[in-house]
């Protein structure tokens, strides 16, 4: 059983920063990809950023240059550093672990960008 637990969300003013963390645990024996997704009210869940087992990254166009995904394998943790936040970044952010044909999700953490 794989579990993921996010933390770090909250309320921040436009232009501010937040760092999300996701700790995962469980029996993972294959190479996996870690990602952050978000879902705003009335919208579909979308990929924000992902990092592969080899360290390769990709980002949604809307967050390039502002968000950075990283991982600490010694702590089984993936981070999302979010800078220059905008109101349109407001959403529930979900951590995802993808291995072979399986996807595992955290419970989500709310990020609200508002003055």
């Amino acid at each position: 059983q794989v579990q993921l637990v996010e933390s770090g969300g909250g309320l921040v003013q436009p232009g501010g920063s937040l760092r999300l963390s996701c700790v995962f645990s469980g029996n993972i024996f294959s190479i996996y990809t870690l990602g952050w997704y978000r879902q705003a009210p009335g919208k579909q869940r979308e990929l924000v950023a992902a990092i592969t087992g080899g360290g390769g990254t990709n980002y949604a166009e809307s967050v390039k240059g502002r968000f950075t995904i990283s991982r600490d394998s010694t702590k089984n943790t993936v981070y999302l550093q979010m800078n220059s936040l905008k109101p349109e970044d407001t959403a529930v952010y979900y951590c995802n672990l993808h291995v072979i044909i399986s996807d595992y999700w955290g419970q989500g953490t709310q990020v609200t960008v508002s003055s």
Side-chain angles (χ1 to χ4, degrees):
Q1 188 78 1
V2 177
Q3 292 185 323
L4 299 92
V5 180
E6 303 103 332
S7 61
L11 173 64
V12 63
Q13 292 186 341
S17 298
L18 281 175
R19 189 176 81 155
L20 305 183
S21 301
C22 173
V23 180
F24 58 94
S25 61
N27 297 323
I28 305 168
F29 300 105
S30 300
I31 297 173
Y32 51 88
T33 296
L34 291 161
W36 287 97
Y37 289 71
R38 66 186 181 188
Q39 187 167 20
K43 294 189 176 181
Q44 289 188 331
R45 190 173 297 189
E46 63 174 356
L47 175 67
V48 176
I51 184 166
T52 68
T57 59
N58 65 288
Y59 296 90
E61 284 296 324
S62 59
V63 306
K64 280 184 179 178
R66 300 189 297 123
F67 291 11
T68 303
I69 189 170
S70 62
R71 65 194 292 171
D72 185 339
S73 297
T74 65
K75 298 181 180 179
N76 280 2
T77 302
V78 60
Y79 304 98
L80 185 66
Q81 178 67 44
M82 304 186 294
N83 299 328
S84 302
L85 282 160
K86 305 175 181 180
E88 50 263 44
D89 294 318
T90 295
V92 178
Y93 284 70
Y94 297 91
C95 180
N96 169 269
L97 187 152
H98 176 79
V99 53
I100 307 179
I101 60 171
S102 299
D103 280 287
Y104 302 93
W105 296 91
Q107 81 286 353
T109 185
Q110 176 71 46
V111 172
T112 302
V113 185
S114 174
S115 55

